[in-house]
mmCIF file of all heavy atoms in Angstrom:
data_model
loop_
_atom_site.group_PDB
_atom_site.id
_atom_site.type_symbol
_atom_site.label_atom_id
_atom_site.label_comp_id
_atom_site.label_asym_id
_atom_site.label_seq_id
_atom_site.Cartn_x
_atom_site.Cartn_y
_atom_site.Cartn_z
ATOM 1 N N GLN A 330 -3.429 15.207 64.245
ATOM 2 C CA GLN A 330 -4.290 16.239 63.659
ATOM 3 C C GLN A 330 -5.079 15.682 62.481
ATOM 4 O O GLN A 330 -6.273 15.981 62.312
ATOM 5 C CB GLN A 330 -3.446 17.438 63.209
ATOM 6 C CG GLN A 330 -4.279 18.625 62.741
ATOM 7 C CD GLN A 330 -5.204 19.127 63.833
ATOM 8 O OE1 GLN A 330 -4.772 19.452 64.931
ATOM 9 N NE2 GLN A 330 -6.512 19.173 63.535
ATOM 10 N N ILE A 331 -4.450 14.848 61.657
ATOM 11 C CA ILE A 331 -5.156 14.227 60.534
ATOM 12 C C ILE A 331 -6.276 13.338 61.050
ATOM 13 O O ILE A 331 -7.403 13.345 60.527
ATOM 14 C CB ILE A 331 -4.175 13.426 59.663
ATOM 15 C CG1 ILE A 331 -3.254 14.383 58.891
ATOM 16 C CG2 ILE A 331 -4.922 12.512 58.697
ATOM 17 C CD1 ILE A 331 -2.148 13.683 58.136
ATOM 18 N N ALA A 332 -5.986 12.571 62.103
ATOM 19 C CA ALA A 332 -7.006 11.698 62.672
ATOM 20 C C ALA A 332 -8.198 12.505 63.185
ATOM 21 O O ALA A 332 -9.370 12.154 62.943
ATOM 22 C CB ALA A 332 -6.399 10.862 63.793
ATOM 23 N N LEU A 333 -7.931 13.590 63.899
ATOM 24 C CA LEU A 333 -9.015 14.419 64.427
ATOM 25 C C LEU A 333 -9.826 15.064 63.298
ATOM 26 O O LEU A 333 -11.055 15.163 63.380
ATOM 27 C CB LEU A 333 -8.443 15.493 65.358
ATOM 28 C CG LEU A 333 -7.803 14.969 66.649
ATOM 29 C CD1 LEU A 333 -7.119 16.118 67.391
ATOM 30 C CD2 LEU A 333 -8.841 14.298 67.544
ATOM 31 N N ASP A 334 -9.136 15.502 62.239
ATOM 32 C CA ASP A 334 -9.838 16.100 61.100
ATOM 33 C C ASP A 334 -10.742 15.075 60.418
ATOM 34 O O ASP A 334 -11.868 15.389 60.019
ATOM 35 C CB ASP A 334 -8.826 16.659 60.089
ATOM 36 C CG ASP A 334 -8.131 17.911 60.597
ATOM 37 O OD1 ASP A 334 -8.622 18.516 61.558
ATOM 38 O OD2 ASP A 334 -7.073 18.268 60.021
ATOM 39 N N LEU A 335 -10.246 13.845 60.274
ATOM 40 C CA LEU A 335 -11.053 12.790 59.647
ATOM 41 C C LEU A 335 -12.301 12.500 60.477
ATOM 42 O O LEU A 335 -13.396 12.309 59.933
ATOM 43 C CB LEU A 335 -10.227 11.525 59.481
ATOM 44 C CG LEU A 335 -9.248 11.491 58.309
ATOM 45 C CD1 LEU A 335 -8.333 10.275 58.404
ATOM 46 C CD2 LEU A 335 -10.004 11.461 56.977
ATOM 47 N N MET A 336 -12.153 12.474 61.777
ATOM 48 C CA MET A 336 -13.307 12.200 62.636
ATOM 49 C C MET A 336 -14.331 13.326 62.555
ATOM 50 O O MET A 336 -15.535 13.100 62.631
ATOM 51 C CB MET A 336 -12.845 12.013 64.084
ATOM 52 C CG MET A 336 -12.071 10.729 64.308
ATOM 53 S SD MET A 336 -11.665 10.468 66.045
ATOM 54 C CE MET A 336 -13.280 10.408 66.787
ATOM 55 N N GLN A 337 -13.839 14.541 62.363
ATOM 56 C CA GLN A 337 -14.754 15.690 62.327
ATOM 57 C C GLN A 337 -15.434 15.841 60.972
ATOM 58 O O GLN A 337 -16.625 16.155 60.914
ATOM 59 C CB GLN A 337 -13.984 16.964 62.664
ATOM 60 C CG GLN A 337 -14.839 18.231 62.605
ATOM 61 C CD GLN A 337 -14.051 19.465 62.969
ATOM 62 O OE1 GLN A 337 -13.096 19.400 63.737
ATOM 63 N NE2 GLN A 337 -14.454 20.604 62.417
ATOM 64 N N ASP A 338 -14.686 15.604 59.904
ATOM 65 C CA ASP A 338 -15.190 15.968 58.572
ATOM 66 C C ASP A 338 -15.637 14.781 57.727
ATOM 67 O O ASP A 338 -16.057 14.970 56.589
ATOM 68 C CB ASP A 338 -14.102 16.729 57.807
ATOM 69 C CG ASP A 338 -13.713 18.028 58.506
ATOM 70 O OD1 ASP A 338 -14.554 18.550 59.253
ATOM 71 O OD2 ASP A 338 -12.582 18.496 58.309
ATOM 72 N N SER A 339 -15.497 13.566 58.208
ATOM 73 C CA SER A 339 -15.926 12.404 57.432
ATOM 74 C C SER A 339 -16.861 11.558 58.273
ATOM 75 O O SER A 339 -17.093 11.828 59.455
ATOM 76 C CB SER A 339 -14.716 11.575 56.992
ATOM 77 O OG SER A 339 -14.160 10.885 58.103
ATOM 78 N N GLU A 340 -17.400 10.533 57.660
ATOM 79 C CA GLU A 340 -18.322 9.642 58.367
ATOM 80 C C GLU A 340 -17.600 8.399 58.890
ATOM 81 O O GLU A 340 -18.238 7.412 59.261
ATOM 82 C CB GLU A 340 -19.460 9.239 57.428
ATOM 83 C CG GLU A 340 -20.308 10.424 56.967
ATOM 84 C CD GLU A 340 -21.432 10.004 56.030
ATOM 85 O OE1 GLU A 340 -21.505 8.795 55.724
ATOM 86 O OE2 GLU A 340 -22.223 10.885 55.619
ATOM 87 N N LEU A 341 -16.283 8.437 58.929
ATOM 88 C CA LEU A 341 -15.518 7.281 59.388
ATOM 89 C C LEU A 341 -15.672 7.114 60.902
ATOM 90 O O LEU A 341 -15.700 8.086 61.652
ATOM 91 C CB LEU A 341 -14.042 7.447 59.041
ATOM 92 C CG LEU A 341 -13.697 7.550 57.555
ATOM 93 C CD1 LEU A 341 -12.209 7.772 57.381
ATOM 94 C CD2 LEU A 341 -14.131 6.300 56.812
ATOM 95 N N SER A 342 -15.723 5.857 61.325
ATOM 96 C CA SER A 342 -15.825 5.574 62.753
ATOM 97 C C SER A 342 -14.486 5.831 63.436
ATOM 98 O O SER A 342 -13.435 5.902 62.790
ATOM 99 C CB SER A 342 -16.240 4.121 62.968
ATOM 100 O OG SER A 342 -15.192 3.243 62.562
#
Side-chain angles (χ1 to χ4, degrees):
Q330 187 59 55
I331 289 173
L333 294 173
D334 288 344
L335 281 171
M336 290 185 60
Q337 178 179 331
D338 298 335
S339 72
E340 297 180 358
L341 298 177
S342 68

